[in-house]
Amino acid sequence: MNVSHAPVSSLSAPNEQAERALSALWTRPPGLIGWLCSTNHKDIGRRYIVTAFIFFGLAGLLAAAMRIQLAFPENHFLGPDLYNQFFTVHGTTMMFLFAVPIMEGLGLYFVPLMVGTRNAAFPRLNAFGYYAFLAGGLLLWGGLLVNAGADAGWFAYTPLSGPDYSPGHRVDIWADMITLTEISALAGAVVTLTTVFKQRAPGMSLNRIPLFVWAQVVTSFMIIFAMPAVMLVSGYLAMDRLAHVNTHFFNAAEGGDSLLYQHLFWFFGHPEVYIIFIPATGMVSMIVETFSGRRVFGYPVMVLSLIATAFIGFGLWVHHMFATPIPLLGRSFFSAASMMIAIPSGIQIFCWIITLWTGRPRLRVPLLFVCGFILLFVLGGLTGVMLASVPLDLQMHDTYFVVAHFHYVLIGGAVFPLFGALYYWFPKWTGRMLNESLGKWNFWTLFAGFNLTFFPMHILGLHGMTRRIYTYVAETGWGNLNLLATIGAGIIGVSVLLFVINVAIALGRSAFTDANPWLAPSLEWATGSPPPAYNFYNLPSVSDAEPLWHSPEEKPVVVGLSTEKREVLNTTVIDAVPEHRYELATDSIWPLALAIVVGLTMTFVIFTPWAIPAGMFFSLIVLYAWFWRGNEPKFIVEAAKPKPQISAAQTSLAAQA
Amino acid sequence: MNTAVIDVSKLPAAVEDHTSPIWWGNLFMLFIETTMFALLVGTYFYLRMNFTNWPPVRSDVALYRTDPDLGFATANLLVLIASCVPMFIVDRACLRMDLRTVRLGMTAMVLIGLGTIALRFFEFSGLKFRWDDNAYSAVIWTVLGMHLLHLITGTAENLLMTLWVWLKGLDIRHARDVRVGAAYWYWIAGVWIPLYAIVYFGPRWL
Ligand code: HEM
Ligand SMILES: [Cu+2]
């Protein structure tokens, strides 16, 4: 191995002047306006991550409130109405505003770096995606603040969520929030796929793509085929509910069907779990590889497992509906498929273990989280296989056994790898390391708190405690285990706080200069930490799957891209042979403008169907401005101009140099 | 620095064909849209199972055939299919950078687009149900409405490109954009063939 801590010098600028010129070309304009206009994938990815983490904290607060309510029998902390809003907004936030966006945000930040390009494809679409996501989050949480928090569960089953049983606007907010967040997820998926298909570094053929990037590709395909289902079904629901529209998709009296709702929702909902989990496996692969110091065992098998998971993942949705009158043959089929999906996941776990076994593992904090993941995910997977069996599921359906199961897969399977990834990539974002011993405390408190919270729920479920109840009587005997779970939730809270403190301390320190502190093999570590606006001065080329482990300085670099326009290199889809150059769009205010129009449309459509034609009209106007080249409004351009004093100072500095 | 270099300055600065990123972006978007329509068709057949008569009989007019009218619908289908010819001519003209043909062809496409949008509104009145009558009417109105949204966006996109070629002429990037718009239009026309068959012949044959 020939690994250095410094950025790969052949990829960096030859001198300061050249650096400054390219930097000026790719850096967003200064000031707030410039910030709002940014189309840099690193800005956007970071915003997704930070925003989603804030939503994680908020939804965590709701969880804490629910746990306090359930700590004692017949407690009066939350009433039934508030409890309904809290579990619905908690679940909805965790799924749509935390888990999916944070995974996608990590992808948007790292995929362009890992494939060795200067920015993601379709930078403006990318910026729009973030703002649409933010609009969805504001809608849901704004609703909660004005006592219109969604309250029909995170999957909002009809007829409960229909116009007859959920009057008011709580469910409308839920349905329209779905549209906004799914637009965002779809935009991110298109950006990611196009970046990977067309902008890979020369030589990065399909078998040299980092596993994290593969995971993002597979996830993006799943998003493309799954998200339309939930947009459609939430659209039907909104139409059924909206005054003056009042369709009857789910109204049995007019030939509508509530089971249709369930089919469409879970056609999205089950893949959703893998949309959260597959990127996490990508993170695990990167961490395992770096910290065991060897190539991941069975790379082709890993890739095939990802693809198999995605395919099988679309054939499972009916296992959420075993308690409904579906044909027996259907049940058997979906039961078998649900058990089958354990196979590719199991294969991946074996490959990681073999990699660690045959490598020289360094047990740093990221790897610690990965070990926690393997343990907890196996447990969550086991209860999953149990629930895939129809007779068992009929017993457990809607009990706390299910609540325990899905928190094991979601937290064990996604949040643990996520924390590992945050520790792993923090130096890349900030140029600073997180504290190792605080990190260990973070891990052990999360591990202990998590098991204390959710393990007892298996038993509670077996004892018949149903989910979504705001309280229970003492005679049930559920009190002690519930109290235990609440204490555990408190420990989880402490653990997340430790993480936030760790980040705050690190940000308070001055930056270190190592570009590759973990001696990792992939391209995101070939450039500075944090990376310059243009990512690589000379684009890298690749001749193996671990470019930084095999004489990175000797690999040819790409030269000849424009220094006047934001140009990237396009390569062929399979073999990544250089094909042509491509000019990316500049920074722009129009993505934000479009998101505002779409956000307002989805807000007003709660009250009137006329919001749709009006929204279309204004969207088209904004889109015309967006696509008409060189068309930024004057006042924006003025506001985003660098202040003259600063540029004078810069020129005098340059003169000195 | 003695590293070998790969000089890309001689590669084309833009291309017009399917190797362009925008072409791929459009393809992925069409995957999304096609999935959406496939699920809509799934909805149609799922709801079909709840009805003995499809379309349901109208309680207000007994013995009255409620199959949707074919006239405007079929006319619109034919217009859409035929519109692929001028679109294709424009598509080819972009490859030759033939500005005159592109200008005239795109103008024609905008007019045709407006025509299909207008015809679509007549189609709605031939459905014989309001959207809020029952689940059958909900799904057919949604099929027509969703496709109408695509007619509007497709036409708006063509209008934008038409304005550009009349005002600014044609360069390789915009020729590429016109061609991607053409691919979108073929899809809009193509997807309507099965949807038309389902909406208008489903009631007659199912
Ligand atoms: C951080 C610690 C967490 C705690 C203490 C917690 C606690 C809870 C509680 C008490 C409920 C309500 C159970 C009920 O009354 O039925 C719940 C529901 C739920 N949680 Fe969590 N949770 C946590 C994290 C997460 C995460 C990270 C996710 C997803 C990524 C998640 C997803 C959900 C979902 C989808 C529901 C179901 C909501 C519904 O029934 O509609 N939770 N959680
Ligand atoms: Cu599932």
Side-chain angles (χ1 to χ4, degrees), chain A residues 373-408:
Chain A
F373 150 77
I374 292 179
L375 218 82
L376 298 178
F377 184 69
V378 167
L379 248 168
L382 278 177
T383 51
V385 174
M386 288 164 73
L387 288 173
S389 139
V390 176
L392 211 60
D393 183 73
L394 288 177
Q395 288 300 312
M396 315 286 206
H397 189 79
D398 268 350
T399 68
Y400 261 84
F401 192 87
V402 173
V403 177
H405 156 69
F406 68 68
H407 282 92
Y408 264 82

Side-chain angles (χ1 to χ4, degrees), chain A residues 266 269-271 273-274 316-317 319-320:
Chain A
W266 290 114
H270 189 85
V273 177
Y274 291 93
L316 306 183
W317 80 91
H319 68 204
H320 295 270

Side-chain angles (χ1 to χ4, degrees), chain A residues 186-356:
Chain A
L186 288 165
V190 170
V191 168
T192 301
L193 285 176
T194 312
T195 308
V196 178
F197 274 45
K198 291 307 299 178
Q199 289 181 212
R200 301 201 305 277
M204 190 180 280
S205 46
L206 292 185
N207 56 338
R208 293 176 188 154
I209 297 179
L211 284 170
F212 177 80
V213 176
W214 264 117
Q216 290 285 343
V217 167
V218 172
T219 306
S220 299
F221 271 115
M222 293 191 79
I223 288 177
I224 279 183
F225 293 113
M227 297 294 182
V230 73
M231 284 181 76
L232 200 63
V233 80
S234 64
Y236 293 167
L237 178 62
M239 287 195 281
D240 269 15
R241 296 176 49 87
L242 184 56
H244 309 302
V245 175
N246 302 112
T247 52
H248 298 288
F249 282 102
F250 307 122
N251 178 3
E254 293 293 350
D257 203 313
S258 279
L259 274 194
L260 171 68
Y261 184 96
Q262 298 196 14
H263 278 296
L264 283 173
F265 187 89
W266 290 114
F267 183 80
F268 141 83
H270 189 85
E272 167 90 341
V273 177
Y274 291 93
I275 288 169
I276 295 169
F277 170 63
I278 288 180
T281 68
M283 298 167 192
V284 171
S285 293
M286 302 306 276
I287 293 173
V288 164
E289 180 163 73
T290 295
F291 290 97
S292 58
R294 59 151 290 171
R295 178 167 205 206
V296 169
F297 176 84
Y299 175 98
V301 183
M302 291 293 256
V303 175
L304 290 177
S305 300
L306 287 178
I307 297 172
T309 309
F311 271 101
I312 306 174
F314 276 97
L316 306 183
W317 80 91
V318 173
H319 68 204
H320 295 270
M321 300 164 60
F322 283 155
T324 64
I326 40 167
L328 192 60
L329 185 68
R331 284 190 221 193
S332 315
F333 174 83
F334 283 100
S335 175
S338 304
M339 295 181 187
M340 197 162 88
I341 197 144
I343 297 172
S345 302
I347 290 177
Q348 282 183 292
I349 289 182
F350 280 119
C351 288
W352 289 319
I353 293 177
I354 295 173
T355 311
L356 287 169

Side-chain angles (χ1 to χ4, degrees), chain A residues 289-535:
Chain A
E289 180 163 73
T290 295
F291 290 97
S292 58
R294 59 151 290 171
R295 178 167 205 206
V296 169
F297 176 84
Y299 175 98
V301 183
M302 291 293 256
V303 175
L304 290 177
S305 300
L306 287 178
I307 297 172
T309 309
F311 271 101
I312 306 174
F314 276 97
L316 306 183
W317 80 91
V318 173
H319 68 204
H320 295 270
M321 300 164 60
F322 283 155
T324 64
I326 40 167
L328 192 60
L329 185 68
R331 284 190 221 193
S332 315
F333 174 83
F334 283 100
S335 175
S338 304
M339 295 181 187
M340 197 162 88
I341 197 144
I343 297 172
S345 302
I347 290 177
Q348 282 183 292
I349 289 182
F350 280 119
C351 288
W352 289 319
I353 293 177
I354 295 173
T355 311
L356 287 169
W357 200 277
T358 56
R360 275 161 284 127
R362 293 173 283 157
L363 198 61
R364 305 293 295 271
V365 174
L367 190 59
L368 208 55
F369 275 101
V370 164
C371 294
F373 150 77
I374 292 179
L375 218 82
L376 298 178
F377 184 69
V378 167
L379 248 168
L382 278 177
T383 51
V385 174
M386 288 164 73
L387 288 173
S389 139
V390 176
L392 211 60
D393 183 73
L394 288 177
Q395 288 300 312
M396 315 286 206
H397 189 79
D398 268 350
T399 68
Y400 261 84
F401 192 87
V402 173
V403 177
H405 156 69
F406 68 68
H407 282 92
Y408 264 82
V409 244
L410 288 167
I411 299 184
V415 176
F416 271 76
L418 177 72
F419 270 96
L422 294 178
Y423 274 87
Y424 179 58
W425 279 314
F426 192 79
K428 182 81 302 196
W429 291 315
T430 63
R432 298 159 174 88
M433 297 288 266
L434 287 172
N435 183 292
E436 190 80 6
S437 43
L438 207 51
K440 289 196 168 136
W441 276 97
N442 183 183
F443 169 76
W444 285 112
T445 45
L446 190 64
F447 191 80
F450 169 75
N451 283 299
L452 207 57
T453 312
F454 292 102
F455 196 81
M457 291 188 191
H458 291 115
I459 304 166
L460 283 170
L462 293 175
H463 287 182
M465 179 166 171
T466 47
R467 66 191 284 200
R468 296 173 171 173
I469 49 170
Y470 82 106
T471 195
Y472 51 91
V473 291
E475 289 73 30
T476 54
W478 300 337
N480 290 342
L481 286 174
N482 268 303
L483 184 57
L484 208 62
T486 302
I487 295 171
I491 300 177
I492 296 179
V494 171
S495 172
V496 175
L497 213 59
L498 285 181
F499 176 76
V500 174
I501 292 173
N502 204 347
V503 169
I505 294 178
L507 289 181
R509 279 203 308 266
S510 54
F512 81 113
T513 45
D514 276 11
N516 187 2
W518 312 111
L519 306 180
S522 46
L523 282 178
E524 82 270 28
W525 301 101
T527 181
S529 297
Y534 49 79
N535 290 353

Side-chain angles (χ1 to χ4, degrees), chain A residues 198 236 245 248 557 559 581 624, chain B residues 6 8 12 19 43 131-132 156:
Chain A
K198 291 307 299 178
Y236 293 167
V245 175
H248 298 288
V557 298
V559 300
R581 295 173 288 145
Y624 270 38
Chain B
I6 302 170
V8 298
T19 60
T43 304
W131 61 88
D132 59 357

